[in-house]
Amino acid sequence: MVTILYCCRAPLRIWYLWSQVADVPFREPFVRSFLLGIGSGLLLEGAHVLMQMLGSQDLGAFSYSPALVADHILAFTSWFGLYFLEAAAVLSVLKRYNGDEQAAAKDLANLSTLPKRLIPRLPFFSRESRFTKPLLASASEATGTKATATVDAEAMVEPATKLATSTLVEPMPRGGTVVRPQGENSVVRAPPRKPATSVPLPRAPSSAEEMAAGVAKRARELRDRSGYLKNMWYAVALSANVGSKEPVKVQLCGREMVLFRDATSGDVQALDNVCPHRGAPLSSGWLSEKESGTCVVCPYHGWALDGAGALKDVPAAMNKGEWPKRSLMNVYDVEEKGGFVWLFYGSRRMPVNERPPIPYIPELDDGGWRAVYEEMEFECNHFGVFENAIDMAHIHYLHGDSFGNADAPEIKDMQVASDAYGITATFTITNKPVNAFWSMFQVPEVFVTARVFLPSTSVVTFTLGAGLSFTTFVNTVPLTATRSVNRFALIRRLASDRTGLFNARIWDGMARDAMRKILSEDKAMVEQLRYDLLPAEYSVRADLPQVAFRKLRQQYVDMGYGLPTETFVPTHTVPANLD
Ligand code: FES
Ligand SMILES: [Fe+2]
């Protein structure tokens, strides 16, 4: 007890004197780190005293052992170490606002540091105390958050279907040939704002026939949405995962394909993963070099098939006259771009220049940016997984401790434009730095660009302070009706970094882990979504990217690009639908 009082007396005296002169934002960190420092010292000291008691040593009133001296050293070093950590974060925020404490009040209140995580609030330093409360109120007024956002949301609520039909997404040309528009992109406009008193609600059906028609319409909508799109490029693998040593099995739209790399040309080949002899999985076989190039060999009877699906060896029938000459299987066009293997899932008779472009951004191959690649599977249909990537409102709640900011969740300045193969949305959000590193790059509002490429690629770029940008390039690939995978790249750049250190390989693991954490949080929620239980969905202006995407995708379904999932059609009949 004497030791405790001795430890506390001097710091309290220092605190009293120092509080008379130090700036307000630094006082709370000082007290917090003091409590943590003394706390850690006490814990260690308690352990030492216990050990001495168990060892039956005579403690004596002031018998300081070297271990007890170490407790005090720990207490003081923890105190000042943690204080400097938090003070540095406070300083960086103040620096960004040129020392204007009033302007920085909101960011200071939202600051998240290690000491603050351990002791989020001190009773005598309430977050909305004498200093910050009026400032937070004025900041909220200035940005129009909280109360005003609620009114706007109520005024904007409309059934998704109604909102979609009232927007002006550029209509798709019909007849199977798609051309890029020459002029300005059309702009998806939100419907005019209405007073909160006139919130449109779904009208109750007036008859049994009307109710049946509504149910059928919703069922069709859900079926089209969960179905696949043909005549599109899909990222069926990461390039790094396809080598020339062994075949690789991939899944796409309810089918299995086998990929293998030609040892000479380096090109990736793709065939159905079903041997034309008796249906054995070719991916369980091996690769063999023949005259025509690399072949995949079936593990059941040893048939060898080249990249065109033609027989190159039948060990049980050495008379080649018996062998069919033509291709015996579905062959898929494949290209590699930006670190992904892209497979064209559609009619091979479709002219190359009429096919939708491969989703791609130059940053994937730009040396000024650094990309890390990864993939994550989801046990649910692809549609919800993809839409989640262009849903910005959720980041404040699912990713609150990574990037989001539940204290300022409004999506502002939403603008959406569309073209023949995708949409582009721009808007701003307010993020919350989770540590001193992110504090260095904080800006009052983060500018976000979210692009969508059909069939299901999202590219979301966040622009922060000091030239920091990062882009998520996410391809949602349907595996089956109830399974999907996100193959993605997280791309980063720090424009102000002249040393190249920011793009160094040593940070790749951290970047990959950060992306995996975020996707794991998404997965936990997305796998639980039950669109099918809703007779209608409601959307607000912040949902415009999703609304525009749904409309664009449905236009392709209506043009004949839609394919039912294997839930509706037996697998062996699917190839006929590709032409
Ligand atoms: S099943 Fe493949 S060779 Fe017989
Ligand atoms: Fe997310």
Side-chain angles (χ1 to χ4, degrees), residues 291-370:
E291 260 179 39
S292 60
T294 303
C295 290
V296 60
V297 182
C298 178
Y300 197 10
H301 307 100
W303 287 24
L305 296 135
D306 67 9
L311 273 176
K312 294 300 165 188
D313 195 10
V314 180
M318 295 312 288
N319 175 12
K320 291 189 180 181
E322 269 190 67
W323 305 356
K325 298 284 181 294
R326 61 186 176 83
S327 172
L328 300 180
M329 28 199 330
N330 284 313
V331 180
Y332 301 91
D333 289 339
V334 172
E335 283 193 32
E336 278 186 281
K337 212 170 179 184
F340 298 92
V341 176
W342 299 93
L343 182 147
F344 184 70
Y345 191 65
S347 171
R348 298 189 84 200
R349 291 205 295 264
M350 188 175 193
V352 171
N353 61 358
E354 290 180 9
R355 297 177 183 183
I358 292 175
Y360 174 76
I361 56 172
E363 290 90 328
L364 287 166
D365 294 316
D366 185 334
W369 295 73
R370 177 75 184 171

Side-chain angles (χ1 to χ4, degrees), residues 388-389 391 394-395 398-399 518-519 521-522:
N388 174 71
D391 175 324
H394 82 271
I395 67 171
L398 289 198
H399 314 306
I518 286 173
L519 280 181
E521 291 162 352
D522 288 330

Side-chain angles (χ1 to χ4, degrees), residues 2 51 68 104 214 241 253 278 309 346 412 428 485 499 501 521 533:
V2 173
M51 284 166 60
L68 293 181
N241 291 346
C253 299
R278 291 293 182 267
K412 294 185 208 162
T428 61
V485 63
T499 64
L501 185 63
E521 291 162 352
L533 296 182

